[in-house]
Amino acid sequence: HVRYRMEVSCLELALEGERLCKGGDYRAGVSFFEAAIQVGTEDLQVLSAIYSQLGNAYFHLHDYTKALEFHRHDLTLTRTIGDLLGEAKASGNLGNTLKVLGRFDEAVVCCQRHLDIVSEISDKVGQARALYNFGNVYHAKGKSICWSGAEPGDFPEEVMIALRKAAEYYEANLAIVKELGDRAAQGRTYGNLGNTHYLLGNFAKAVASHDQRLLIAKEFGDRSAERRAYCNLGNAYIFLGDFEVAAEHYKRSLQLARQLKDRAVEAQACYSLGNTYTLLQDYERAIDYHLKHLIIAQDLNDRIGEGRACWSLGNAHTALGNHDQAMHFAEKHLEICKETGDRTGELTARMNVSDLQTVLGLSYSTNNSTLSENKDIDYNLHGARPRMSRRHSMENLELMQLTPDKMNGQK
Amino acid sequence: DEHQGEAKSSAVASSQIFHSDGGEMEPETMEIKSVSDYFTKMHMGSLMSRQKG
């Protein structure tokens, strides 16, 4: 009788945990699942389900160490009781968790185990899910190896190998989910495949994938996914050199961010638009969007974003010859870089302040037209005047790195 | 020196601008186990066996 009551109590607690997690309240869900474990159960299938859900709840709460702990318990348990399908699921979840923790080699082993089991039992849905996870692990691995300012398509071979593997797994997944007619799964895969092609430097393929993602997001009325697709499309069009088209996509992404009331992504869209208009040399519009970005960054107390906005605003004002305004933002940029310990940013800011001091010093002894003439001369005669030419050559370098295709194409 | 600084700052600029994260990724799909599903099956099973008996 006592054991029966104990079992009921464990089940009841677990069921309540499930209900709460389904409703998105993972914090409360965790409490109920942990209480259920405290009470205990002799039913190992129930225990496996509790471990698994605790792992997922911690995953959603971004506590990946705890998630790892519980998915490991689940894996050990399912292996012990010989629950093959349970082991496949535990391996999949463990793989996803190890991926987030940057332990890619272990994650690959888990993904392979997941895939092997579901292939063995000819579970098509399971195979598709395992392939998607596999693709995600290789994508994350590729991205983690090298991110030191290199441009998409121009990474070390090790990175490219991982990204190509990711694309292969996504393609294999797509073949199955198309056959199954699972549109939601197709949408997710197209999104990540698009980002993989983007990093591989296949920008046209990236656009094709994100176009599909967008179509499916619209089918489902999934506005978050729609916004993501517009943003990713904007990024790809930048590298194709179609800045106008990129701007249109970023604007749609901005509209959706506002509808969704997501301030952080609204700020990101404004920042992307500011940069796009800089590339279009429409500095007034660039300033407008960078100011919008600045205001949100300040509201959200995002000092790094604020610093970035000041740096961009300084550059745009310099391009327009508003040296007083440029100085204001360059000084603010310097102050923020010092505060956030951004040494590289601090160096850039110091150079900008010093350049602007020279220009502003000049403007007291000469009129504005002479000043802008000097600027043009400096621009043409690289290195004739170190300070001014440095600033201009730096800006050119940025544009070249951002848009190699466009720049080469224009010349 | 100055030249080094220039290369560095432009590298930071370009990597920060459009692809700070290399694109926005889709969410992970986690495998789901459920006590209620299992319990329902178990319960149904016991009901069935009771009916049979």
Side-chain angles (χ1 to χ4, degrees):
Chain A
H1 184 67
V2 171
R3 218 196 95 195
Y4 173 75
R5 274 202 8 215
M6 189 175 81
E7 289 290 326
V8 166
S9 159
C10 174
L11 265 175
E12 277 171 352
L13 289 164
L15 286 169
E16 183 59 10
E18 255 176 46
R19 196 187 63 79
L20 288 161
C21 286
K22 267 185 195 153
D25 190 351
Y26 298 109
R27 188 75 56 195
V30 161
S31 314
F32 275 92
F33 282 128
E34 287 190 332
I37 290 179
Q38 282 294 311
V39 173
T41 175
E42 302 221 338
D43 189 325
L44 298 180
Q45 291 286 351
V46 169
L47 190 58
S48 162
I50 293 172
Y51 282 154
S52 182
Q53 290 182 88
L54 257 173
N56 285 348
Y58 277 120
F59 189 94
H60 286 293
L61 290 167
H62 305 288
D63 186 343
Y64 301 113
T65 314
K66 281 279 193 184
L68 187 74
E69 185 188 325
F70 285 106
H71 286 312
R72 262 202 207 291
H73 284 327
D74 188 27
L75 184 66
T76 309
L77 181 58
T78 50
R79 274 190 188 158
T80 310
I81 60 177
D83 169 11
L84 210 56
L85 197 60
E87 184 186 339
K89 288 185 173 188
S91 301
N93 290 335
L94 196 54
N96 283 342
T97 311
L98 287 162
K99 177 202 73 178
V100 178
L101 288 165
R103 292 160 65 170
F104 303 114
D105 295 338
E106 293 164 87
V108 163
V109 173
C110 290
C111 286
Q112 191 60 57
R113 182 65 187 146
H114 184 191
L115 186 58
D116 286 346
I117 296 172
V118 290
S119 303
E120 206 174 297
I121 57 173
S122 302
D123 170 7
K124 282 266 180 191
V125 176
Q127 282 174 51
R129 295 174 68 86
L131 289 165
Y132 176 75
N133 290 348
F134 229 140
N136 286 345
V137 168
Y138 276 113
H139 180 103
K141 185 184 178 182
K143 223 159 60 170
S144 76
I145 300 170
C146 181
W147 200 257
S148 56
E151 295 301 314
D154 194 26
F155 298 120
E157 194 50 27
E158 198 187 356
V159 177
M160 301 300 268
I161 288 168
L163 292 172
R164 276 185 220 117
K165 271 193 184 158
E168 277 171 33
Y169 281 111
Y170 288 139
E171 292 285 3
N173 162 284
L174 265 181
I176 299 176
V177 291
K178 277 183 185 169
E179 191 187 312
L180 294 171
D182 184 343
R183 290 293 278 168
Q186 286 172 48
R188 279 193 295 271
T189 308
Y190 275 124
N192 288 352
L193 180 62
N195 287 334
T196 308
H197 280 310
Y198 171 81
L199 290 175
L200 283 165
N202 306 328
F203 302 116
K205 280 188 181 174
V207 166
S209 288
H210 288 308
D211 273 339
Q212 289 299 313
R213 206 296 159 250
L214 181 60
L215 197 72
I216 297 168
K218 284 178 176 168
E219 272 173 33
F220 282 86
D222 181 345
R223 289 191 298 168
S224 291
E226 205 183 321
R227 187 203 57 74
R228 274 200 300 275
Y230 279 121
C231 174
N232 291 331
L233 278 165
N235 294 346
Y237 276 113
I238 287 287
F239 279 87
L240 284 170
D242 290 337
F243 305 143
E244 298 277 5
V245 181
E248 289 316 305
H249 285 98
Y250 285 137
K251 276 182 200 166
R252 289 290 297 134
S253 145
L254 177 59
Q255 277 177 341
L256 284 160
R258 284 176 178 158
Q259 281 176 26
L260 293 162
K261 300 195 192 311
D262 187 333
R263 296 279 280 163
V265 295
E266 183 184 344
Q268 180 60 47
C270 289
Y271 185 59
S272 298
L273 276 162
N275 291 325
T276 307
Y277 281 112
T278 300
L279 291 170
L280 285 164
Q281 296 181 312
D282 184 343
Y283 300 109
E284 278 91 356
R285 273 201 194 142
I287 287 170
D288 186 42
Y289 282 113
H290 282 309
L291 277 174
K292 288 186 169 96
H293 170 219
L294 177 64
I295 290 164
I296 301 173
Q298 283 169 342
D299 280 357
L300 298 178
N301 222 353
D302 168 15
R303 287 295 269 174
I304 291 169
E306 207 183 319
R308 226 174 264 184
C310 289
W311 174 74
S312 307
L313 283 161
N315 288 345
H317 278 297
T318 301
L320 285 174
N322 303 332
H323 296 110
D324 285 316
Q325 290 273 44
M327 181 61 105
H328 166 78
F329 287 113
E331 282 174 340
K332 201 140 191 338
H333 181 214
L334 180 59
E335 177 195 314
I336 293 168
C337 287
K338 278 193 214 160
E339 186 193 303
T340 56
D342 173 1
R343 299 284 297 154
T344 319
E346 192 183 325
L347 189 68
T348 309
R350 275 191 201 287
M351 287 201 299
N352 287 345
V353 168
S354 148
D355 285 349
L356 287 161
Q357 269 166 352
T358 310
V359 179
L360 286 168
L362 278 174
S363 70
Y364 290 118
S365 57
T366 178
N367 66 38
N368 281 336
S369 61
T370 322
L371 183 67
S372 61
E373 265 175 39
N374 279 346
K375 217 170 92 175
D376 289 337
I377 292 163
D378 284 330
Y379 190 30
N380 295 328
L381 301 173
H382 260 34
R385 286 193 182 185
R387 291 216 168 270
M388 284 308 290
S389 67
R390 184 186 59 212
R391 154 152 292 281
H392 286 290
S393 64
M394 195 179 91
E395 278 172 6
N396 284 342
L397 231 130
E398 271 156 38
L399 295 183
M400 292 294 278
Q401 286 210 347
L402 271 171
T403 59
D405 295 343
K406 180 72 173 182
M407 285 300 169
N408 294 338
Q410 275 180 344
K411 277 174 188 169
Chain B
D1 61 25
E2 273 189 6
H3 190 76
Q4 223 177 1
E6 174 185 312
K8 245 190 209 167
S9 59
S10 58
V12 167
S14 62
S15 68
Q16 279 179 349
I17 286 184
F18 288 101
H19 48 92
S20 52
D21 274 323
E24 285 193 52
M25 294 296 280
E26 300 289 330
E28 279 100 357
T29 49
M30 301 303 283
E31 301 301 314
I32 294 167
K33 295 184 186 183
S34 155
V35 173
S36 49
D37 284 356
Y38 171 70
F39 188 56
T40 309
K41 267 183 230 157
M42 198 176 69
H43 196 63
M44 291 287 280
S46 71
L47 274 180
M48 301 268 266
S49 61
R50 213 177 290 171
Q51 275 178 345
K52 270 182 209 161

